Amino acid sequence: MEVANSYTAALLSRLASDTILDYWDYQLRATYDITPRDRIGVFAFGSYDFLGQRTPTETVPLFASEFHRIDLRYDRQLGPDSTMRTAVTLGLDRTRLSEGRFMRESVARGEKRDHPSRIPSVLVRAGSDVQVDSYAVVTNVDELSPTAIARGELLSRREPI
């Protein structure tokens, strides 16, 4: 597992005391051989970035974004030169908008891959995948201005495409 951080945020905060910079990322990869021909694995990674400005009453976000992914997979050795993979990937992305709102994307993806090879020095790949994305604007109505509430009501009345 690897986690990264930097001293840049602390340095910037000392140089510009009204500015907040925060960021981090992580990644993890692990595999386990169930049998000599079967392996399961997980790969997870993500990141967070925040830039804000302190005012006398609050911290105003100028930019804030994060994402997370986790990939679960099963690999099977079918023969000396032939493999099969089945995988599922889940993800979440969030971007902070103004006035306490977030844009959120959720991702779910499935994959099936076969690598049959009957001819030496020829790699054949076949497979399929499917992906579903969901988008939403998440609001905290208590924190919205009257103008933002009016805009939100207009958007909520739109017919789906």
Side-chain angles (χ1 to χ4, degrees):
M1 181 168 169
E2 181 178 323
V3 176
N5 208 337
S6 172
Y7 296 103
T8 307
L11 182 61
L12 179 64
S13 295
R14 296 236 185 239
L15 295 174
S17 61
D18 65 338
T19 301
I20 300 170
L21 176 65
D22 189 19
Y23 54 92
W24 47 259
D25 61 52
Y26 65 92
Q27 57 183 337
L28 165 83
R29 179 178 296 242
T31 59
Y32 178 74
D33 292 333
I34 302 170
T35 71
R37 295 175 50 181
D38 299 289
R39 173 180 285 178
I40 57 173
V42 61
F43 178 51
F45 60 101
S47 177
Y48 170 80
D49 297 292
F50 179 85
L51 177 64
Q53 186 170 21
R54 285 189 188 99
T55 69
T57 58
E58 65 180 336
T59 298
V60 178
L62 303 174
F63 175 81
S65 178
E66 68 182 291
F67 77 90
H68 308 278
R69 295 285 183 276
I70 185 165
D71 180 63
L72 307 169
R73 53 181 62 179
Y74 165 71
D75 293 308
R76 175 148 178 98
Q77 186 74 34
L78 300 174
D81 297 320
S82 181
T83 62
M84 174 195 70
R85 169 173 289 164
T86 303
V88 173
T89 303
L90 302 174
L92 175 68
D93 299 5
R94 285 187 355 148
T95 301
R96 187 180 298 224
L97 305 171
S98 63
E99 299 175 335
R101 297 175 302 144
F102 288 90
M103 178 65 172
R104 183 183 66 215
E105 177 188 9
S106 303
V107 178
R109 182 175 186 273
E111 172 184 333
K112 171 105 168 70
R113 295 278 182 252
D114 293 318
H115 297 195
S117 182
R118 303 283 184 247
I119 305 168
S121 72
V122 174
L123 175 62
V124 177
R125 292 183 179 171
S128 61
D129 59 55
V130 62
Q131 181 167 321
V132 176
D133 292 77
S134 170
Y135 298 93
V137 175
V138 180
T139 62
N140 182 352
V141 176
D142 296 337
E143 296 179 11
L144 292 180
S145 68
T147 304
I149 292 171
R151 279 190 223 135
E153 289 172 353
L154 286 173
L155 290 174
S156 67
R157 288 193 295 248
R158 288 180 46 194
E159 292 297 317
I161 298 175

